Amino acid sequence: MEALTPNTIPRGGQDTAKAPKRKRKGGFWSTVLQQKYLYLMSLPFVIWVFVFSYLPLWGWTMAFQNYKPARSFSEQKWVGFKYFHELFQDDRFYLVLRNTLAMSFMGLILGFVVPIFFAILLNELRGMFFKRFVQTVSYLPHFVSWVVVAGIITKMLSIDGGAVNQILMALHLTDEPIQFMAKGSWFWYIVTGSDVWKETGWNTIIYLAAITGIDPELYEASRVDGASRWRQMWHITLPGIRSTISVLLIMSIGHLISIGFEKQFLLGNNLVSDYSEVLDLYALNYGLNMGRFSYGTAIGIFNSVVSIILLFTANGIFKKITKESIM
Amino acid sequence: MPNKAFNATRSDKIFDICNTIFMVIVLIVTLYPFLNVLAISLNDSIDTVRGGITIWPRAFTFENYKTIFAYDTLLQGLKISILRTIVGTLLGLLSASMLAYTLSRPDFQARKFVSTFLAMTMYFSGGLIPGYILMRDLNLIGTFWVYVLPGLVSAFNVFIVRSFIDGLPYALQESAKLDGANDFTVYWRIILPLCKPVLATIALFLAVGQWNAWFDTYLYNGSNGTWTTLQYELMKVLQSTQQGGGAINANDMAKQMAQISPESIKMAITIVVTVPILIVYPFLQKYFVSGMTLGAVKS
């Protein structure tokens, strides 16, 4: 790719003799002129990205001000770390942090391990048609919105006629229906379970692609040596997708704390709010909805900073172990 | 060692059987909830209250659907949902393919800068409140554009298309250049038609994202019936009976619609929201699988 330097590509018609002479540095503006269409095609979007992705970062200054929406930026009163102090002294904050970390770790472990096993088992299926069918069906919930999934999960777990309670009662595991949605202690498991239900199939795609890259001769050779299917999975398939696994692990560690709040918002209710409220939801309820913009922004900053630290730590450890970096 | 070989095949057989049974359970666990919701939505509302509907309606009726489609807010939501899906997808495709093309040109001067500038956005975000303030300052709150504009450029999509274009033979562009075509013509006439498969992939991602979005409606247009969306209406209906206190919506709607129970209404709306996805999805499967793999290899 890099062999195609500017000089080897004829630009702007026949006059290619001039291009090599001009060299890169000297002709900055003339190159701009020559590439005007490329600039016209990318610059508007760069400005776009600046406005909608970078400009909000400027809003972080709000966390250090006593922000009043009516005043202009120069009229705001700076208060330093006041809102961070307030945040760290709020008991609710630690509760919310606990919920966030608990649900992220559960989500990380299950959302990471289950797809690997599912992909390996899918790969072992003999019938091509059946395999395709299972794949198609398992990707399906990924495309359905969390609103719908939350509705379905609530329905399945409901006390009157929910499938889960009916099965539990038919198996005599419980005498009366369990109120899953009303018990705080169940909430983390329900969220993690819904996530597994929704995303497992989808998350296998990358692993399945990695598995197809494994040399089939390895399997043949091991078969000649009399290796069982379990041994093949353990000694060929798993090591074969090791690098994919580690890259995806680092990426999910980076997103550990920013788990979003859709699930918690939609599945939670007043009865379980001590277990369902996560950082973003806390920022929404105690920041935005109460008009405390500065406080809410401080929560958001805390969230981002922790994410970035986690990502760099994970990447650093990964680099030490494998001498590779994903960033 | 015939004995060992025999053991291996027998254990293989047991493994195959267990694996197949496991997959069948996965299929049931995935499909049953959808079929159950569908059956209830097609079942007579009074009959549903008796319980016991599994995957087949006991007293078949279209009455639930007739009722919800008589509800104006829902129709408005449907209209806006369709509109935002179309507009958001088209604009998203245009931005991703244009940017991807410029980034695929090795001679493009600002390539490195643009690519880094974009990639950075995948690692941070300003967060909820700064985003809200920005929308307010741009006067986008209470408008349709708040659904489309903020997410118009997605770095992830750009990189997927870029790696696809990188895989195309460069000679095609060169010959067009020799014929005097400018960069935009090359993009429009040569690159874009060749990108159909990858564009189908990201069109699916964009369309599903737009169709499924509800939080932007909640945040920016929650009190504004004109720009309500189907997902948001469903969210309100589902939440209303879950949160004991704020039980306004489904019950309200149910009262207004006389004989229909909130349960049936919820299920019917759920199906209306889900069906468009179920229809397009099997056709696009081969595209999104390749698209996902492309994106993963690159990032």
Side-chain angles (χ1 to χ4, degrees):
Chain A
M1 268 304 156
E2 296 307 320
L4 298 162
T5 55
N7 297 342
T8 59
I9 296 159
R11 251 181 280 106
Q14 317 300 330
D15 199 7
T16 46
K18 268 184 193 166
K21 267 186 209 158
R22 230 182 265 140
K23 286 288 167 208
R24 276 156 236 177
K25 293 241 163 74
F28 178 83
W29 290 110
S30 62
T31 318
V32 170
L33 203 66
Q34 271 174 336
Q35 300 186 337
K36 58 180 179 293
Y37 286 105
L38 291 178
Y39 275 101
L40 281 175
M41 285 160 75
S42 57
L43 266 186
F45 296 116
V46 169
I47 295 167
W48 204 272
V49 170
F50 176 76
V51 170
F52 286 100
S53 297
Y54 285 81
L55 220 50
L57 287 185
W58 175 250
W60 280 20
T61 53
M62 272 190 293
F64 307 98
Q65 299 166 333
N66 184 10
Y67 181 81
K68 291 277 185 301
R71 290 189 210 145
S72 76
F73 181 76
S74 55
E75 289 164 352
Q76 305 287 354
K77 213 175 105 203
W78 292 85
V79 293
F81 285 92
K82 179 180 163 226
Y83 289 104
F84 288 91
H85 278 293
E86 220 172 278
L87 183 64
F88 293 132
Q89 263 153 24
D90 185 4
D91 288 338
R92 184 101 198 144
F93 168 71
Y94 293 100
L95 196 72
V96 167
L97 189 60
R98 177 202 69 175
N99 296 340
T100 312
L101 289 174
M103 278 184 264
S104 344
F105 272 108
M106 287 166 70
L108 176 74
I109 292 164
L110 282 179
F112 179 69
V113 173
V114 177
I116 295 173
F117 279 98
F118 190 57
I120 292 174
L121 288 177
L122 261 177
N123 184 54
E124 294 293 328
L125 278 182
R126 283 286 170 261
M128 266 328 266
F129 178 78
F130 185 60
K131 186 177 162 186
R132 278 278 157 76
F133 184 67
V134 176
Q135 274 178 278
T136 306
V137 169
S138 70
Y139 300 157
L140 184 68
H142 171 79
F143 291 95
V144 177
S145 72
W146 267 112
V147 178
V148 169
V149 173
I152 284 177
I153 299 281
T154 314
K155 172 94 191 84
M156 290 298 126
L157 295 177
S158 78
I159 44 167
D160 44 15
V164 173
N165 271 319
Q166 278 178 341
I167 290 170
L168 289 178
M169 275 162 66
L171 295 173
H172 296 289
L173 289 173
T174 172
D175 293 330
E176 50 189 62
I178 302 171
Q179 290 209 332
F180 288 102
M181 304 309 285
K183 287 214 187 76
S185 49
W186 281 100
F187 189 78
W188 296 347
Y189 301 98
I190 292 171
V191 163
T192 313
S194 331
D195 217 11
V196 168
W197 183 77
K198 191 175 187 294
E199 303 295 344
T200 295
W202 180 253
N203 289 335
T204 58
I205 292 181
I206 292 170
Y207 295 118
L208 283 171
I211 288 173
T212 48
I214 298 173
D215 187 357
E217 276 181 30
L218 289 174
Y219 290 101
E220 268 161 45
S222 73
R223 217 167 294 141
V224 172
D225 291 345
S228 72
R229 298 274 285 281
W230 282 108
R231 293 189 75 102
Q232 286 183 352
M233 283 189 266
W234 188 253
H235 291 291
I236 301 173
T237 315
L238 259 183
I241 58 174
R242 202 180 56 194
S243 60
T244 313
I245 292 175
S246 43
V247 168
L248 290 184
L249 180 64
I250 310 284
M251 305 228 312
S252 36
I253 290 174
H255 294 136
L256 192 62
I257 197 169
S258 41
I259 48 173
F261 54 91
E262 265 190 281
K263 293 165 258 190
Q264 288 79 8
F265 185 107
L266 295 165
L267 285 165
N269 55 56
N270 297 335
L271 296 169
V272 298
S273 67
D274 279 354
Y275 291 87
S276 68
E277 203 161 54
V278 288
L279 280 170
D280 278 327
L281 215 50
Y282 181 60
L284 181 72
N285 292 337
Y286 289 81
L288 195 58
N289 288 352
M290 290 184 173
R292 299 169 69 199
F293 295 111
S294 298
Y295 191 63
T297 310
I299 301 169
I301 293 178
F302 175 80
N303 199 342
S304 297
V305 169
V306 174
S307 296
I308 288 168
I309 292 173
L310 281 173
L311 183 65
F312 276 97
T313 317
N315 191 47
I317 295 170
F318 179 69
K319 224 194 242 163
K320 268 232 170 86
I321 298 170
T322 64
K323 312 267 185 290
E324 290 173 64
S325 166
I326 61 145
M327 287 170 69
Chain B
M1 289 197 282
N3 210 358
K4 197 176 171 188
F6 174 69
N7 276 340
T9 50
R10 202 176 65 173
S11 76
D12 278 2
K13 256 192 198 130
I14 295 171
F15 173 82
D16 275 335
I17 293 167
C18 292
N19 198 12
T20 310
I21 293 173
F22 172 74
M23 290 302 167
V24 170
I25 294 174
V26 169
L27 286 180
I28 294 172
V29 169
T30 313
L31 287 179
Y32 178 80
F34 290 111
L35 295 174
N36 185 229
V37 171
L38 182 65
I40 294 175
S41 78
L42 288 170
N43 197 55
D44 182 70
S45 156
I46 298 161
D47 182 68
T48 304
V49 182
R50 280 170 45 211
I53 305 286
T54 51
I55 61 168
W56 205 251
R58 200 164 38 208
F60 186 87
T61 174
F62 278 120
E63 214 41 53
N64 301 327
Y65 289 96
K66 275 189 201 146
T67 321
I68 59 166
F69 279 116
Y71 197 61
D72 285 340
T73 318
L74 205 77
L75 286 177
Q76 180 65 17
L78 180 65
K79 219 168 25 183
I80 301 300
S81 282
I82 294 173
L83 191 65
R84 69 176 287 178
T85 304
I86 294 170
V87 176
T89 306
L90 288 179
L91 290 178
L93 282 177
L94 194 73
S95 73
S97 58
M98 265 197 194
L99 265 175
Y101 172 63
T102 61
L103 291 183
S104 76
R105 285 281 300 267
D107 57 322
F108 180 38
Q109 211 174 14
R111 184 169 101 132
K112 241 223 139 111
F113 167 74
V114 175
S115 156
T116 318
F117 194 73
L118 260 183
M120 292 284 284
T121 62
M122 299 208 286
Y123 295 103
F124 68 82
S125 87
L128 191 67
I129 291 168
Y132 181 85
I133 301 282
L134 180 73
M135 293 307 136
R136 201 200 54 194
D137 290 347
L138 294 173
N139 286 323
L140 286 174
I141 291 180
T143 69
F144 173 74
W145 296 107
V146 82
Y147 298 143
V148 180
L149 300 186
L152 186 71
V153 181
S154 144
F156 183 72
N157 289 344
V158 172
F159 291 131
I160 289 181
V161 182
R162 203 261 300 260
S163 40
F164 184 87
I165 298 178
D166 281 345
L168 298 173
Y170 198 77
L172 285 170
Q173 296 188 40
E174 266 178 348
S175 58
K177 283 281 182 74
L178 287 174
D179 292 342
N182 67 40
D183 289 327
F184 182 78
T185 318
V186 172
Y187 156 76
W188 192 252
R189 286 275 159 78
I190 296 173
I191 299 297
L192 216 48
L194 287 171
C195 281
K196 262 183 210 149
V198 74
L199 292 182
T201 309
I202 64 163
L204 177 75
F205 292 159
L206 287 164
V208 169
Q210 284 288 349
W211 181 259
N212 283 345
W214 60 276
F215 188 69
D216 45 13
T217 315
Y218 169 84
L219 198 57
Y220 302 120
N221 285 333
S223 52
N224 188 340
T226 324
W227 305 117
T228 190
T229 55
L230 207 50
Q231 298 282 349
Y232 179 63
E233 290 304 317
L234 175 64
M235 191 280 275
K236 280 200 295 189
V237 168
L238 290 175
Q239 294 278 312
S240 58
T241 35
Q242 218 188 95
Q243 322 261 24
I248 17 161
N249 225 272
N251 297 335
D252 246 23
M253 235 161 138
K255 245 180 252 157
Q256 202 176 327
M257 298 162 179
Q259 307 285 310
I260 310 287
S261 76
E263 174 83 356
S264 300
I265 288 172
K266 282 191 207 172
M267 297 305 132
I269 303 180
T270 305
I271 293 298
V272 172
V273 167
T274 316
V275 155
I277 288 176
L278 300 193
I279 292 172
V280 291
Y281 151 84
F283 300 103
L284 291 166
Q285 193 187 347
K286 64 172 181 196
Y287 292 125
F288 70 68
V289 171
S290 61
M292 271 304 283
T293 332
L294 211 60
V297 171
K298 203 70 198 177
S299 57

